[in-house]
Amino acid sequence: GARAARKRSARETYRSAAMDIDNFDPHIADPSSTVNMVLKKAKTNLGKRALMKKAPKLVETEGKMCVMLHGGKSSQVLKNLITDLSVLKKGECHKMTRKNDGIRPFEGGGETSLEFFAQKADAGAFVLGTHQKKRPDCLTVGRFFDYHLFDMVELLVRNYKPMDSFGSVGNAAVLGSKPCMVFLGDRFETEPALRMAKNVLMDIFRGKPATRINLKGVDRVIICTALEEAVMFRQCVIRYKKSGTRLPKVELEEMGPSFDFVVGRHQEPPPDVKKQAYAKAKIGKKVKNVEHDSLEGKVGRIYVEKQTGLEELAMMKMKGLKRERRQAAEEREAAKKAPKKSKADDDDGEDSD
């Protein structure tokens, strides 16, 4: 009756929140948003709250929703891998099982369908599985900004082992929780493609931002090791054992999925869009000559006026310098008191020889 009518009205209001310039309401748009979104006026408070929650913000409080789908051709390895990745992103992913022939993100116009799915699912990242003769078992991961393709990188999958092959090891971890991520190897800092892959993978699997962490809640770790020929992706469950101290003994046991990958093509974001996407929120009032460094923390700069009259001050003199000056003065006095030889005496000495 009445409850069903209210739900139906809320659904209609939520669906009617489309782009419309004529019915623009400035009170719905988030003032802290960097994206100029024009939304249709909502009729109920529930619709307004839904639109405000969906609008982009400078400081995101929710995890990044991820779209996981397949291209025109896929393989059984990619199907199983995407299924395992969707389990890791439980609650923050939208998995699609059908094939999508028109999605070719590295070609011009091939990202239209992908951006449409991102807008429908309100997603900020995607995982695309494609299988071709030139690029077999290719997993493309990337991000969106304002529902437009931002950056992406290809991961060519090898040596895949599903989570089922590890038995019941993963039962100790709560799937969908916030994992700990470790990246080993200097290639993640020196190679642009691997640097982007690290950034995208961290953005996808980081989960919700947290200010405080309970040690018991950290129950799994994702480890990426960069070798010379490939990169190893491993996930382990964290087991806490008694150690006799306040800090427990930590043991790792592999739980899957496990695979190696080689980086293929990658696409950097445009500089102007990157500057807009990487904008940081202003925290508090700016203090003059005070900066915050990630290593040193709060750093301040002090300006001191030019000091005058320093040359007239009586500076402390070292004892070693005093002794050297005293010895030099004694040598000069001894040289003055010593008798001088005349030139005539020198000539007489030479004649006698």
Side-chain angles (χ1 to χ4, degrees):
R3 183 179 298 178
R6 286 196 298 270
K7 289 184 178 179
R8 193 181 308 110
S9 176
R11 285 196 299 267
E12 292 177 356
T13 303
Y14 188 81
R15 291 172 183 171
S16 64
M19 306 290 286
D20 191 356
I21 298 178
D22 298 332
N23 299 324
F24 172 66
D25 186 4
H27 300 287
I28 299 178
D30 187 3
S32 64
S33 172
T34 58
V35 183
N36 296 325
M37 296 187 64
V38 182
L39 303 175
K40 193 173 182 179
K41 183 177 180 180
K43 298 180 181 179
T44 61
N45 293 331
L46 180 61
K48 289 182 180 180
R49 289 195 296 269
L51 292 177
M52 290 294 295
K53 185 177 180 181
K54 190 176 179 180
K57 304 175 182 61
L58 278 176
V59 180
E60 296 288 348
T61 58
E62 299 292 333
K64 184 164 289 188
M65 183 66 68
C66 182
V67 177
M68 298 187 179
L69 69 166
H70 299 274
K73 293 182 180 181
S74 185
S75 62
Q76 189 62 36
V77 172
L78 290 177
K79 291 179 182 179
N80 296 338
L81 178 57
I82 289 179
T83 301
D84 289 347
L85 295 180
S86 64
V87 174
L88 302 184
K89 285 282 293 180
K90 186 178 180 181
E92 296 179 355
C93 75
H94 183 77
K95 181 188 173 187
M96 303 174 62
T97 57
R98 294 184 180 181
K99 296 181 179 180
N100 303 275
D101 296 330
I103 297 181
R104 298 179 180 87
F106 284 94
E107 299 179 5
E111 74 281 357
T112 306
S113 300
L114 193 60
E115 294 174 352
F116 173 77
F117 292 141
Q119 188 171 5
K120 283 294 183 181
D122 189 23
F126 73 94
V127 176
L128 175 65
T130 57
H131 182 74
Q132 299 175 359
K133 186 177 181 180
K134 292 183 178 180
R135 299 178 182 88
D137 299 332
C138 179
L139 196 70
T140 305
V141 295
R143 294 175 291 184
F144 299 103
F145 177 70
D146 192 16
Y147 303 122
H148 293 289
L149 193 60
F150 183 67
D151 59 355
M152 55 185 169
V153 60
E154 286 182 341
L155 310 179
L156 305 179
V157 179
R158 303 174 181 175
N159 305 326
Y160 166 67
K161 293 182 181 180
M163 296 179 63
D164 300 337
S165 62
F166 294 92
S168 60
V169 178
N171 294 339
V174 180
L175 298 179
S177 61
K178 190 179 180 68
C180 178
M181 301 193 68
V182 180
F183 291 87
L184 303 175
D186 55 352
R187 293 180 58 195
F188 286 111
E189 303 297 334
T190 57
E191 298 183 12
L194 277 179
R195 190 187 305 118
M196 180 185 294
K198 172 187 173 181
N199 196 355
V200 175
L201 290 175
M202 288 184 61
D203 214 5
I204 291 177
F205 293 106
R206 68 183 178 92
K208 295 182 179 180
T211 55
R212 293 185 298 176
I213 298 176
N214 185 6
L215 185 60
K216 294 295 183 181
V218 183
D219 51 8
R220 59 193 178 97
V221 56
I222 297 176
I223 306 173
C224 296
T225 307
L227 305 177
E228 294 182 359
E229 64 278 358
V231 179
M232 296 166 41
F233 184 97
R234 303 290 184 269
Q235 183 177 217
C236 301
V237 62
I238 301 176
R239 300 188 184 277
Y240 298 99
K241 302 293 183 68
K242 293 182 179 180
S243 62
T245 60
R246 293 183 58 186
L247 298 177
K249 180 182 178 182
V250 178
E251 293 183 358
L252 301 180
E253 188 174 357
E254 191 171 356
M255 59 174 288
S258 170
F259 63 93
D260 303 340
F261 66 85
V262 178
V263 177
R265 297 177 293 179
H266 70 283
Q267 179 176 318
E268 296 279 352
D272 54 343
V273 181
K274 184 177 180 180
K275 182 179 179 180
Q276 188 179 6
Y278 284 7
K280 294 183 179 180
K282 296 181 179 180
I283 303 176
K285 187 177 180 180
K286 185 177 180 181
V287 183
K288 188 177 180 181
N289 300 328
V290 176
E291 299 176 353
H292 292 272
D293 193 359
S294 57
L295 297 178
E296 300 179 359
K298 189 175 181 180
V299 180
R301 184 180 298 174
I302 301 176
Y303 291 92
V304 182
E305 297 181 358
K306 186 177 179 180
Q307 302 294 321
T308 58
L310 295 178
E311 62 277 357
E312 300 176 359
L313 294 177
M315 305 297 291
M316 182 182 293
K317 298 179 181 180
M318 298 176 62
K319 293 184 177 180
L321 297 178
K322 291 181 179 179
R323 184 167 53 251
E324 292 178 0
R325 288 197 296 270
R326 186 168 58 252
Q327 292 176 359
E330 292 176 356
E331 291 178 357
R332 288 196 298 270
E333 291 295 333
K336 290 180 181 179
K337 294 179 180 179
K340 295 183 179 180
K341 282 188 177 183
S342 61
K343 189 175 182 181
D345 296 340
D346 295 340
D347 294 339
D348 295 339
E350 291 177 359
D351 294 339
S352 62
D353 294 338

